[in-house]
Amino acid sequence: MKKIIILAALYMMTVAANAQIISGKIVDCENEPVDFATVVLQTADSLFVQSTYTDSSGVFRFEAALPTFRLIVQHFLYEPFENTYSSNETGSISLTSKENLLNEVVVKGERPLVRVIDGKMTYDIARLVENKVVGNAYESLLQLPGVREQNDNLLLAGANSLTVIINGKPTSMTTEQLMQMLKTMPVSMLEKAEVLYSAPPQYHVRGAAINLILQGHTSENSRLTGQVNSAYTQKYYVGYSAGGNLFYNTDRFSVDFLYAFNQSHTKSGEDQYSHHLFENKVYDIDQFDKGDDRSSDHNFRLATDYKIDEKNKISLAYTAQITPHFKKTATSDGTYSNSVNDKKETSPVEMHNIGLNYTSGFGLDAGVDYTCYKNHNQQNFEEKKPGKERTFLSFSNQDIRRLNAYLDQSHSLANGWILNYGTKFSYASQQSLQTYHSQTEPELSGLNTDSRLDEYTSDVYAGFQKQFTPAFSLMASLTGEYYQFDNFDEWTIFPSLQVTYVFAPTHIVQLSFSSDKAYPSYWEMNGSIGYINGYSEAHGNPQLKPSKDYTAQLNYILKSKYIFTLFTSYDDNYFVQLPYQSPERLAMIYKVTNFDYKQS
């Protein structure tokens, strides 16, 4: 802990070299914003530094420290503009329209669907969803090339996993809460979406990510907006959800509130045919399982942003998910077992998270968040097969506490180099308890477990990005992580690389390489045993190790519309749950196990 404190102190001392933001707004003669104007930043003696485009509000931004600089603004509808500045705030730059007289000529233009900006595939949401039936932000994500929905999860072609972040910051919400919020968020709140196959470490996610950029949360005039939504799902049973959100904005302050309620009722089934070799004899075991699950949950989010000044902002968010009721009933009939397995909550399942973030005007981001989770349930198992009758109760409790803290710093250096570095620390404590109370023979108290495990993760990273020429850009980083869980500890290095080359505006090639680590769940890593039916059991595995993933993608973007992707991935210590027939007794055991590797 002393080392961590010393490192944090040394880190804070390095923040003296402050980055600066050069910004402004491009408008026409009627003071209307001009979007997609090219803005080129040069030194006072006309050396190229960076280039960018204006957004839908006509605003452009550069991260650069130049006492004096030149700006060149170009747009095919306006006369070119050039000027020299000595202040980072350039204000509004007015362009003069071109006066070209065209007789009987029709000019048709099309805004590009995707552009590569600072190594990110950037999609204009308004262009993406035009002439399409899209009702919310979630549905707009499904319009992104390569993004699809599977089992209520978003997947990206060529990526092992996908994380959605908002305004460059990972959310404190659960995946379910985030998806619910996106389903209630109007499309008009989205400005653009950035797709990254190799997210930089300052995003605090690894691998592929979609960064949603929202329209400015603040406005000159106070504004209150809201939306309500509901959904009805008819599968085997009926499910429904309802919710809404409110957004309130002023010139310096914004607050948003989200509430959603979900009621689900699902049916499941599995037919199992097992030829089980035990004591030199093959037993033919046929089991037919049916499941009936009912649950309801409430999702809350209350978040606020406050602009201290034009360059400093503080954000506070509280999210919660409460499941007051769930009931799972599984029946199994067959040649070996006739059982009924009921599971329900003994107290509401709760997840609470609160996060605080500070963004400075000199490239520093700092944040802390705390999460607590509670899941207490009861299982009532009854075996009715003649000669095998038994009944037992089991109680399972899981309590998790997690604390995260991070510091990120960015510097704009000479010649267009951008340096990023930072650190993150996570601590999680989980306590799991499982007790059995048998009402028939045999006695099961020997299966009782009571464990408390602490998990520590410390990350330190450094990276850079550079626009070497208007056609070639590079972004790279290296993260060192120390991980400790129970008696297992490990140092890991995570490299990340993204190279972009623009042969022409209609031909763009991008190469990405990323690395990540996946951790088994706490339940999978303890030694508890759960009974599925009279034949099938789920066993924990205390010997599980995290898996490491290395993924590379090669993207070719044709005419700013079509994206072709080649990818490869390698998972070291890949883990998955597999069944096996016990050699010691007639039981099918489901257990999560590490493999040497998995390659795709």
Side-chain angles (χ1 to χ4, degrees), residues 221-270:
N221 300 317
S222 299
R223 181 176 60 181
L224 177 65
T225 60
Q227 186 179 48
V228 295
N229 73 292
S230 62
Y232 174 90
T233 305
Q234 177 64 63
K235 293 183 180 179
Y236 191 89
Y237 297 112
V238 171
Y240 60 89
S241 63
N245 55 29
L246 287 173
F247 297 90
Y248 177 70
N249 311 70
T250 69
D251 59 341
R252 299 184 67 176
F253 175 77
S254 69
V255 61
D256 65 87
F257 173 75
L258 163 73
Y259 169 75
F261 172 78
N262 298 286
Q263 179 78 43
S264 67
H265 186 186
T266 59
K267 178 185 178 181
S268 60
E270 182 179 79

Side-chain angles (χ1 to χ4, degrees), residues 110-124:
E110 183 180 28
R111 286 186 296 175
L113 178 65
V114 57
R115 294 178 297 152
V116 178
I117 302 176
D118 295 331
K120 307 165 189 174
M121 286 191 285
T122 305
Y123 294 85
D124 178 7

Side-chain angles (χ1 to χ4, degrees), residues 156-175:
L156 177 63
N160 274 358
S161 61
L162 176 65
T163 305
V164 177
I165 58 181
I166 297 177
N167 290 335
K169 300 296 178 186
T171 176
S172 58
M173 292 180 283
T174 64
T175 300

Side-chain angles (χ1 to χ4, degrees), residues 45-225:
D45 50 358
S46 302
L47 292 178
F48 174 84
V49 179
Q50 297 181 48
S51 64
T52 187
Y53 296 91
T54 57
D55 60 20
S56 58
S57 301
V59 175
F60 66 89
R61 289 166 60 91
F62 294 104
E63 291 187 4
L66 296 173
T68 304
F69 57 90
R70 297 180 71 246
L71 290 181
I72 300 175
V73 183
Q74 297 176 333
H75 194 284
F76 73 97
L77 292 178
Y78 302 91
E79 297 292 345
F81 173 90
E82 296 185 22
N83 198 10
T84 303
Y85 298 88
S86 58
S87 172
N88 289 351
E89 297 293 338
T90 63
S92 294
I93 299 175
S94 180
L95 300 183
T96 303
S97 299
K98 289 182 178 178
E99 298 181 358
N100 296 325
L101 183 62
L102 302 177
N103 294 321
E104 299 180 359
V105 175
V106 177
V107 179
K108 291 184 178 180
E110 183 180 28
R111 286 186 296 175
L113 178 65
V114 57
R115 294 178 297 152
V116 178
I117 302 176
D118 295 331
K120 307 165 189 174
M121 286 191 285
T122 305
Y123 294 85
D124 178 7
I125 295 296
R127 168 79 174 86
L128 185 71
V129 302
E130 64 182 1
N131 302 323
K132 297 179 181 178
V133 181
V134 174
N136 53 55
Y138 180 84
E139 292 175 357
S140 70
L141 288 179
L142 296 176
Q143 305 303 316
L144 293 171
V147 175
R148 70 184 192 278
E149 183 182 37
Q150 180 176 309
N151 299 327
D152 296 325
N153 290 318
L154 293 177
L155 304 177
L156 177 63
N160 274 358
S161 61
L162 176 65
T163 305
V164 177
I165 58 181
I166 297 177
N167 290 335
K169 300 296 178 186
T171 176
S172 58
M173 292 180 283
T174 64
T175 300
E176 183 179 358
Q177 287 177 312
L178 177 60
M179 296 302 107
Q180 184 63 42
M181 186 188 79
L182 294 177
K183 290 176 182 178
T184 62
M185 180 182 292
V187 181
S188 59
M189 289 191 61
L190 302 183
E191 179 180 328
K192 57 187 176 182
E194 299 174 340
V195 177
L196 303 96
Y197 278 90
S198 181
Q202 59 267 30
Y203 285 0
H204 296 293
V205 297
R206 298 193 185 103
I210 296 177
N211 182 26
L212 283 179
I213 306 298
L214 305 186
Q215 299 283 359
H217 265 205
T218 58
S219 59
E220 294 182 1
N221 300 317
S222 299
R223 181 176 60 181
L224 177 65
T225 60

Side-chain angles (χ1 to χ4, degrees), residues 383-391 440-442:
E383 173 61 64
K384 300 179 180 180
K385 194 77 170 178
K388 297 182 179 179
E389 296 90 344
R390 65 169 174 163
T391 303
T440 58
E441 295 294 335

Side-chain angles (χ1 to χ4, degrees), residues 542-555:
Q543 306 303 317
L544 274 178
K545 297 179 181 179
S547 67
K548 301 172 188 175
D549 165 62
Y550 304 92
T551 304
Q553 296 92 5
L554 180 64
N555 296 305

Side-chain angles (χ1 to χ4, degrees), residues 477-491:
S477 68
L478 198 64
T479 302
E481 178 183 277
Y482 175 72
Y483 175 76
Q484 179 182 351
F485 181 82
D486 196 20
N487 294 321
F488 175 82
D489 66 318
E490 183 180 51
W491 278 97

Side-chain angles (χ1 to χ4, degrees), residues 4 56 71 128 139 176 212 219 292 308 318 328 418 453 463 474 545 556 584:
I4 295 174
S56 58
L71 290 181
L128 185 71
E139 292 175 357
E176 183 179 358
L212 283 179
S219 59
D292 184 280
I308 302 172
Y318 166 74
K328 299 182 179 182
I418 298 177
L453 298 173
L474 172 65
K545 297 179 181 179
Y556 171 56
E584 301 172 352

